[in-house]
Structures are given as C-alpha cells and as structure tokens.
Amino acid sequence: MRAVDKFDARRDQLAESALKTLGELGYARTTLREIANNSPFSHGVVHYYFQDKLELVIHSVRYYKARCVTRYDSVIADATTADGLLDAFADKLAETIRDEAPMHRLWYDLRTQSMFEEQLREAVTSIDRTLQEMIWRVVSRYAELADRPAALEPQVAYGMLDGLFQQALLEHVGGHPESLATLVDQVHAVMPLMLKR
C-alpha cells in the first residue's frame, strides 16, 4: 500500500471513531480528546492526521455522507412499479432512522452549526446538494414509473421529504416508536402530490 493510501485509510479510520463520538455527544460537546478516548488512537495520532476538530468533523461527515448518497440506488434499480418504489423508499427511510439515528442527529446538528461556523458552510452545502440529488433520483424514477411528470422542483421535493424525515427523527430519539410508522404513512401521502395530475 502506498504511503498516500495508508494516510487516507488512517484518516478514514479516525473518521469512523469520530462519527461515533459526534453522534453521541453532538458537535459542540465533542473534543479531539473525546474522539481519541473513544478510539484505538491516541490524542497525538488524531492531531497528526487532523489539524483541528473542524477538519476532522468535515472529513468525517463527507466520509459518512459519501456512503449515504447511494443508499436508495438499489430501491430505484429494483423498482418495477411506482407503488413498489414508494413502498421500498418509505421503508428505507424508516430503516435508516432506526439503524443510524445518531448519524442523522449529527447531520442536522452540523447543518445548524454551519449557519454560525463559516468554515463548515461549504462542506454542509455541498453535502446537502448531493442529498437533494439523491432524493431527486427517487422522485424522478417514481414519476417515470407512474407515467406522470414531476410537479415540483428538486429543492422543493427535497425540502418536503427532509422535513418529514427530520420530524420523524426528532420523535424517534424522543422515545416515540410509532414515529417510524407515521413517517412511512406520510411519505405515502406526500409522494403522489409531487406528480402532476
């Protein structure tokens, strides 16, 4: 393995550790020392690979979201009917909250922090754009399978679904297990409204 590849691999390992800590504590309460304490690496090693917390956080979130943006590709590829795509998509949204709530909590935390921390803003805006594109691929395929054109712009469709997702996440972390079933129902109600009659 080349030195550059080893360096990048170690940064990704540190990102995995950082994500766990950030997901538990949130952006404001997490320090590099906390990340090191919750990883197999020393504080010095973390500092060697990342100049500061902000650089590590940005790398970690980009690393995580790079995997997330392909999450619904199989839903799109496997769908043969509009209803089948809608069922699979709604179920996948609920599953990702159930399985990865700390990571999604972190994402919304960082998105809010980017309104105050200019250094975060570019990374958050870029990631948000890729998430919008991911959702638009689902909506476009849904429209195609329904044989009806989309009635909304990509950013509106994303805003609607992101809002429902964030509300369900908030309810879920607040101890309301019915929130995931409610999300599935809401997605079933909202998606048809995104298509022209």
Side-chain angles (χ1 to χ4, degrees):
M1 185 182 272
R2 296 179 323 162
V4 172
D5 294 336
K6 283 183 182 176
F7 186 84
D8 289 343
R10 178 58 54 95
R11 283 172 60 94
D12 289 347
Q13 286 177 316
L14 287 164
E16 290 277 0
S17 295
L19 286 167
K20 288 178 192 164
T21 307
L22 287 160
E24 290 168 13
L25 300 178
Y27 176 78
R29 293 182 359 200
T30 299
T31 64
L32 285 180
R33 191 166 300 286
E34 285 284 345
I35 292 167
N37 288 343
N38 290 327
S39 78
F41 307 105
S42 70
H43 187 242
V45 168
V46 175
H47 258 299
Y48 175 77
Y49 286 95
F50 294 98
Q51 183 177 335
D52 55 24
K53 177 176 108 171
L54 193 60
E55 183 185 2
L56 174 54
V57 167
I58 290 170
H59 179 80
S60 299
V61 174
R62 283 187 190 276
Y63 170 79
Y64 173 70
K65 288 298 181 183
R67 294 182 315 200
C68 285
V69 296
T70 59
R71 173 173 284 134
Y72 303 104
D73 288 357
S74 63
V75 168
I76 295 166
D78 296 344
T80 56
T81 66
D83 287 343
L85 183 141
L86 182 51
D87 291 343
F89 176 58
D91 289 345
K92 193 74 164 174
L93 283 170
E95 175 188 300
T96 189
I97 288 177
R98 185 176 52 252
D99 295 348
E100 300 178 35
M103 294 302 100
H104 296 298
R105 225 171 41 167
L106 171 61
W107 167 245
Y108 288 111
D109 182 16
L110 291 176
R111 199 158 76 174
T112 300
Q113 287 294 327
S114 74
M115 295 184 197
F116 303 96
E117 293 238 19
E118 192 173 338
Q119 294 170 292
L120 273 175
R121 203 165 299 144
E122 183 185 341
V124 166
T125 301
S126 170
I127 292 165
D128 211 40
R129 201 167 27 252
T130 62
L131 295 174
Q132 177 181 298
E133 290 164 1
M134 171 189 73
I135 292 300
W136 189 244
R137 288 193 299 273
V138 174
V139 172
S140 297
R141 180 65 177 146
Y142 177 64
E144 182 185 316
L145 289 169
D147 201 25
R148 291 165 55 196
L152 303 175
E153 295 296 315
Q155 62 271 26
V156 177
Y158 173 58
M160 290 171 68
L161 290 168
D162 183 61
L164 293 176
F165 188 87
Q166 186 176 11
Q167 286 175 340
L169 176 65
L170 185 59
E171 289 288 308
H172 178 73
V173 299
H176 301 281
E178 73 283 356
S179 61
L180 300 184
T182 300
L183 173 64
V184 169
D185 291 343
Q186 289 172 336
V187 171
H188 276 88
V190 166
M191 286 285 282
L193 303 176
M194 297 186 183
L195 305 182
K196 290 186 177 172
R197 294 183 183 271

